Amino acid sequence: MATVSPARDERDRRDDAGIVAASLDDPEAFGELFRRHGPRIHAYVRRRLGPVLADDVVSETFAIAFRQRARFDGRAAFGAWLWGIASNLIARHHRQETRMYRAFARTGVDPAEDGVAERAAERATAAALGPRMAKALASLTVKERGPLLLLAWGEMSYPEIAAALDLPLGTVKARIHRARKKLRKVLPEEKNDG
């Protein structure tokens, strides 16, 4: 049976801000933040930009956070600060993201999929809506697409999105509303027979 080192056990009990502060003296402590936030951010970036760029963008996100950790003031949650960095890096790749959605719309093959089977119902729905959804997402502006996908794929709340993007909550709500309105025009209404 593996034992947890006392230092690791202490890091596990600290909040994110405490780990950031500790990492100023003990840089290895920052690794705990990657363990906590890395998988979720990676899944989101992968979904936005595809598998080719995901590793690089996530690595760059954490490298920037590490280099700038002394500037983290704790006014917002560390996770929101980190998601903000990732969102800014994703925005730099918006042309790649748009190309990916357009390719998906043309071919029906999702470039972000890695071939691992997911639940059959989800895949059937994605297969039916996928190309139209990709075309619709490609038609959104970067300012509309970012908040909408943080909500849908990043599973973030409106206040978390506002903090991550450093925008007023009302602006986030308005952008998501506009994006949803555009998507409704392009995508068919979901019929509920039950």
Side-chain angles (χ1 to χ4, degrees):
M1 187 160 117
T3 59
V4 176
S5 73
R8 170 67 186 259
D9 187 46
E10 176 63 27
R11 275 181 279 201
D12 286 345
R13 285 184 272 158
R14 285 189 193 153
D15 67 356
D16 290 348
I19 294 172
V20 171
S23 75
L24 296 173
D25 294 325
D26 176 17
E28 289 184 21
F30 198 83
E32 175 62 20
L33 296 168
F34 182 82
R35 186 184 71 78
R36 288 181 183 183
H37 298 279
R40 188 170 163 213
I41 290 175
H42 188 276
Y44 176 72
V45 173
R46 187 177 184 286
R47 192 71 194 105
R48 292 281 308 264
L49 299 177
V52 174
L53 290 173
D55 291 342
D56 291 341
V57 170
V58 172
S59 295
E60 190 174 352
T61 297
F62 280 91
I64 290 169
F66 181 78
R67 284 192 308 269
Q68 296 180 1
R69 70 191 187 282
R71 294 172 51 194
F72 175 71
D73 60 12
R75 283 185 292 164
F78 176 78
W81 187 64
L82 197 60
W83 280 88
I85 294 169
S87 293
N88 288 336
L89 293 172
I90 288 169
R92 291 182 191 169
H93 295 284
H94 72 276
R95 281 184 290 244
Q96 168 62 22
E97 181 182 32
T98 301
R99 278 193 300 270
M100 198 171 82
Y101 290 134
R102 287 183 180 145
F104 187 13
R106 279 191 315 275
T107 66
V109 177
D110 187 350
E113 284 292 318
D114 63 3
V116 176
E118 295 186 54
R119 294 188 319 221
E122 288 177 357
R123 291 188 67 87
T125 301
L129 284 178
R132 286 184 297 214
M133 176 64 83
K135 184 176 181 180
L137 288 171
S139 73
L140 297 176
T141 68
V142 173
K143 289 181 177 184
E144 294 165 340
R145 188 168 48 225
L148 178 71
L149 294 180
L150 282 171
L151 178 71
W153 293 341
E155 299 176 358
M156 297 176 77
S157 68
Y158 286 95
E160 289 173 325
I161 295 166
L165 299 179
D166 196 25
L167 293 171
L169 182 58
T171 301
V172 168
K173 289 180 178 181
R175 288 180 182 179
I176 291 173
H177 175 75
R178 278 193 304 273
R180 285 178 168 166
K181 191 173 176 180
K182 286 181 179 181
L183 292 179
R184 272 191 224 98
K185 285 182 181 178
V186 178
L187 298 172
E189 291 284 327
E190 188 173 314
K191 297 203 174 19
N192 187 354
D193 295 329

